[in-house]
């Protein structure tokens, strides 16, 4: 039996790791592991181990900081892997393939003996030329051209950049925030953590996973402000729970990109002023992968324009 871990997202996307029958393979960030993935800074030195005994494949977390997850569930004990499972560790997600024929198809791993959205009416498009990116060297090394366009747009005015993140969209989000070293605050609806707000200095390490893994996966949205995270969070807390005309409380999931895209353009002028408060811009993924939507306040309410991420 041959087990193949195919990285489908994260800094090593496209790489395949083989674990042959009779092999125990420790995977992590440093050379202490049998298979080191130094590109993924969210991995622990020795993060998880895969054992292939020829009949079953098992995964076990090695006390990592950010955890190991199979199909979104944190690995707390030895877990048997099946064909098609999703295994997540650090900033990387792997698809699990099990070949019962045992024939290798990729480079062998070390052997270890025992161990954007449609343009809305009145919406303009921002091009790379308008952002000053045409012909310039990449100011965001390690990011694609489209990702660089997004980041340049976020940081172009020199204001505070924050992300509002939905922990229900990916179980790794709290661990990423804990490991990032960046300042973050929780928003709750009275029962549980509803969302996180994190302040993102330019070139923050956390941007790597937020932009590469989170963008187009509904993790949340970005906003800019002349204020800091404390004032912004105090403002957002006013909108977590809203009330119907009958007085029934309801959670306003504005951190969901789909809800944000539907709600903000429909605001009346005063509603828009109230919702933006200390915010200057909201930037959210579009309905199409190559588009972002930017909202700001204009004289007659909300202005929106599309950002082309190419």
């Amino acid at each position: 039996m041959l087990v193949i871990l195919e990285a489908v997202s994260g800094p090593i996307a496209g790489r395949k790791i083989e674990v042959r029958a009779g092999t125990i393979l420790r995977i992590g960030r440093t050379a202490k592991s049998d298979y080191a993935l130094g590109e993924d800074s969210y991995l622990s030195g020795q993060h998880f181990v895969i054992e292939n005994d020829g009949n079953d494949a098992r995964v076990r977390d090695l006390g990592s900081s950010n955890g190991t997850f199979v199909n979104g569930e944190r690995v707390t004990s030895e877990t048997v892997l099946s064909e098609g499972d999703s295994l997540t560790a650090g900033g990387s997600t792997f698809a699990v393939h099990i070949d019962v024929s045992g024939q290798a198809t990729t480079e062998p791993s070390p052997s270890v003996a025992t161990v954007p959205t449609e343009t809305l009416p009145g919406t303009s498009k921002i091009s790379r030329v308008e952002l000053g990116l045409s012909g310039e060297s990449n100011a965001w090394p390690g990011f694609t051209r489209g990702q660089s366009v997004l980041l340049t747009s976020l940081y172009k005015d020199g204001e505070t950049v924050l992300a509002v993140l939905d922990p229900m969209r990916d179980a790794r989000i709290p661990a990423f925030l804990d490991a990032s070293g960046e300042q973050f605050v929780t928003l709750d609806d009275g029962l549980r953590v509803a969302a996180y707000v994190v302040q993102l200095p330019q070139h923050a390490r956390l941007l790597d996973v937020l932009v590469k893994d989170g963008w187009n996966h509904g993790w949340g949205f970005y906003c800019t402000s002349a204020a800091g995270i404390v004032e912004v969070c105090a403002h957002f807390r006013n909108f977590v729970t809203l009330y119907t005309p009958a007085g029934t409380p309801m959670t306003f999931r504005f951190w969901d990109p789909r809800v944000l895209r539907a709600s903000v353009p429909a605001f009346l002028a005063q509603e828009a002023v109230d919702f933006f408060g200390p915010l200057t811009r909201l930037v959210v993924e579009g309905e199409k992968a190559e588009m972002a939507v930017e909202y700001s306040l204009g004289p007659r309410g909300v202005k929106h324009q599309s950002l082309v991420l190419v």
Side-chain angles (χ1 to χ4, degrees):
M1 185 177 77
L2 177 68
V3 178
I4 300 173
L5 303 182
E6 180 182 4
V8 294
S9 69
I12 60 163
R15 188 178 304 181
K16 295 181 180 180
I17 303 172
E18 291 182 358
V19 187
R20 295 172 175 170
T23 296
I24 299 173
L25 188 70
R26 296 168 298 182
I27 298 174
R29 191 186 70 255
T30 69
K32 294 180 180 179
S33 299
D34 305 310
Y35 196 107
L37 300 173
E39 303 95 327
D40 190 338
S41 58
Y42 284 93
L43 286 172
S44 295
Q46 294 184 79
H47 198 105
F48 66 96
V49 61
I50 299 286
E51 179 180 359
N52 178 358
D53 65 8
N55 295 310
D56 291 306
R58 296 178 175 84
V59 61
R60 180 165 48 88
D61 185 78
L62 295 175
S64 66
S65 299
N66 294 331
T68 303
F69 300 82
V70 173
N71 300 327
E73 297 292 328
R74 190 164 191 146
V75 174
T76 56
S77 59
E78 194 172 70
T79 301
V80 175
L81 296 172
S82 301
E83 170 66 30
D85 280 347
S86 174
L87 189 155
T88 300
S92 301
T93 297
F94 303 88
V96 177
H97 303 295
I98 298 178
D99 181 2
V100 294
S101 71
Q103 294 179 351
T105 57
T106 62
E107 289 297 318
S109 61
S111 178
V112 184
T114 56
V115 198
T117 191
E118 294 290 341
T119 304
L120 301 171
T123 299
S124 61
K125 288 186 178 181
I126 307 174
S127 69
R128 284 173 51 78
V129 174
E130 291 173 290
L131 286 173
L133 288 169
S134 180
E136 72 166 19
S137 60
N138 188 1
W140 296 92
F143 292 93
T144 67
R145 177 177 293 188
Q147 291 164 350
S148 297
V149 172
L150 172 65
L151 290 165
T152 298
S153 175
L154 287 174
Y155 290 93
K156 65 181 180 180
D157 295 329
E159 294 187 314
T160 300
V161 175
L162 306 103
V164 184
L165 303 172
D166 183 356
M168 299 299 291
R169 298 297 295 183
D170 195 300
R172 299 173 296 167
I173 289 174
F176 286 144
L177 293 174
D178 284 335
S180 71
E182 305 300 344
Q183 185 179 6
F184 68 92
V185 180
T186 59
L187 301 178
D188 65 72
D189 60 6
L191 298 174
R192 57 179 173 77
V193 173
Y196 292 92
V197 182
V198 59
Q199 187 165 319
L200 296 167
Q202 191 166 355
H203 298 293
R205 187 169 64 114
L206 186 59
L207 287 169
D208 190 79
V209 69
L210 294 185
V211 173
K212 293 179 180 179
D213 277 17
W215 187 257
N216 285 322
H217 288 87
W219 281 20
F221 69 94
Y222 297 93
C223 58
T224 63
S225 176
I229 188 172
V230 174
E231 183 177 343
V232 170
C233 283
H235 171 71
F236 277 141
R237 287 194 178 100
N238 296 322
F239 296 91
V240 173
T241 303
L242 301 181
Y243 294 86
T244 66
T248 304
M250 58 177 289
T251 299
F252 177 31
R253 291 181 52 82
F254 59 85
W255 46 87
D256 185 325
R258 297 165 298 181
V259 174
L260 195 74
R261 291 197 305 263
S263 302
V264 174
F267 285 155
L268 300 176
Q270 187 57 51
E271 290 174 334
V273 170
D274 292 343
F275 185 75
F276 271 81
L279 310 175
T280 52
R281 292 183 296 142
L282 309 173
V283 180
V284 62
E285 62 195 45
E287 294 176 2
K288 294 183 177 179
E290 70 276 11
M291 302 294 291
V293 183
E294 179 182 297
Y295 299 107
S296 59
L297 276 179
R300 292 181 290 181
V302 176
K303 292 169 49 182
H304 44 82
Q305 52 192 2
S306 294
L307 180 63
V308 184
L309 304 180
V310 294

